[in-house]
Amino acid sequence: KAGVTQTPRYLIKTRGQQVTLSCSPISGHRSVSWYQQTPGQGLQFLFEYFSETQRNKGNFPGRFSGRQFSNSRSEMNVSTLELGDSALYLCASSSMTGTEAFFGQGTRLTVV
Amino acid sequence: KNEVEQSPQNLTAQEGEFITINCSYSVGISALHWLQQHPGGGIVSLFMLSSGKKKHGRLIATINIQEKHSSLHITASHPRDSAVYICAADTDKLIFGTGTRLQVFP
């Protein structure tokens, strides 16, 4: 069965712009979590969605938001981009919270 | 102090050596994950464990809940094992260690 698919794989944006990243989970998985990975901070939890509801949120400013659709696909949005938002953004899906997570290949965002 | 600590940060080994990576955590967990990340960024889940020991091929993961400590062992290491290994504490979200960069030379 197909794995977790993230699009796009690479993205270059300018400061002040906004960006939307997409994550398609494994078929049948209802939980999608998002993570940011930077060289300085490592991997950090952004938020988790389950059945279209945000279950949990990490310590990120309100510029970071997300949503999940009825087919479990999820998007995350970052508004008013800053240079420090340059990172690898990973999503992971699982059948439900607390079960094994399967990660996508990530979207590498560069803000210039 | 980080809630999840890993050691060592970097590890170099010769092919065939036995490898141990350690992870200590200070939070209450429902499970502990071991992940592998290759250059390019993709992450693969190796183990999810809440007690005892799990084995998959040459990889073994153990956890001691009382001591809040987990280890990942690689037996008969191979250059293809070269990657970053990350442990993550599963609370109501994943809290990650900083990773261990492993290089295995032929």
Side-chain angles (χ1 to χ4, degrees):
Chain A
K1 85 181 155 177
V4 179
T5 303
Q6 289 188 247
T7 57
R9 288 293 310 279
Y10 302 92
L11 204 47
I12 299 175
K13 289 286 189 179
T14 304
R15 271 181 302 174
Q17 287 187 313
Q18 74 164 14
V19 67
T20 299
L21 311 182
S22 179
C23 173
S24 294
I26 290 172
S27 177
H29 284 190
R30 295 164 65 190
S31 173
V32 174
S33 298
W34 288 90
Y35 305 91
Q36 182 197 62
Q37 186 176 36
T38 60
Q41 299 296 321
L43 271 162
Q44 293 182 284
F45 170 78
L46 278 158
F47 26 65
E48 180 198 2
Y49 286 88
F50 183 84
S51 293
E52 301 179 65
T53 302
Q54 187 179 89
R55 293 278 298 264
N56 208 343
K57 191 177 192 305
N59 295 325
F60 280 83
R63 300 185 297 107
F64 291 80
S65 63
R67 58 179 176 168
Q68 186 179 33
F69 302 96
S70 58
N71 62 357
S72 292
R73 188 177 71 86
S74 177
E75 290 181 346
M76 68 162 280
N77 183 276
V78 188
S79 62
T80 320
L81 284 166
E82 300 175 1
L83 295 179
D85 297 332
S86 296
L88 179 67
Y89 291 88
L90 291 151
C91 81
S93 79
S94 57
S95 56
M96 55 189 298
T97 304
T99 59
E100 184 180 7
F102 294 83
F103 285 80
Q105 290 295 304
T107 294
R108 190 165 296 279
L109 171 65
T110 302
V111 182
V112 297
Chain B
K1 192 178 187 307
N2 292 335
E3 293 170 299
V4 180
E5 299 272 2
Q6 268 186 255
S7 63
Q9 278 193 306
N10 295 283
L11 193 49
T12 301
Q14 288 295 126
E15 184 173 355
E17 285 186 6
F18 182 84
I19 304 290
T20 295
I21 300 170
N22 295 299
C23 176
S24 296
Y25 54 92
S26 57
V27 292
I29 65 168
S30 56
L32 192 289
H33 299 254
W34 281 101
L35 311 170
Q36 180 192 57
Q37 187 172 33
H38 281 282
I43 289 179
V44 174
S45 175
L46 297 174
F47 295 102
M48 175 182 172
L49 63 165
S50 54
S51 66
K53 175 179 170 178
K54 286 191 176 180
K55 184 175 190 290
H56 185 252
R58 295 179 296 105
L59 301 180
I60 303 166
T62 63
I63 189 167
N64 184 318
I65 297 294
Q66 286 72 33
E67 295 189 4
K68 295 192 172 182
H69 181 269
S70 177
S71 293
L72 176 68
H73 305 286
I74 304 175
T75 62
S77 60
H78 189 276
R80 64 174 175 266
D81 297 327
S82 298
V84 176
Y85 293 84
I86 304 166
C87 69
D90 198 337
T91 61
D92 56 349
K93 61 188 180 191
L94 289 183
I95 304 173
F96 298 89
T98 52
T100 295
R101 185 174 301 276
L102 171 65
Q103 289 184 289
V104 182
F105 293 99

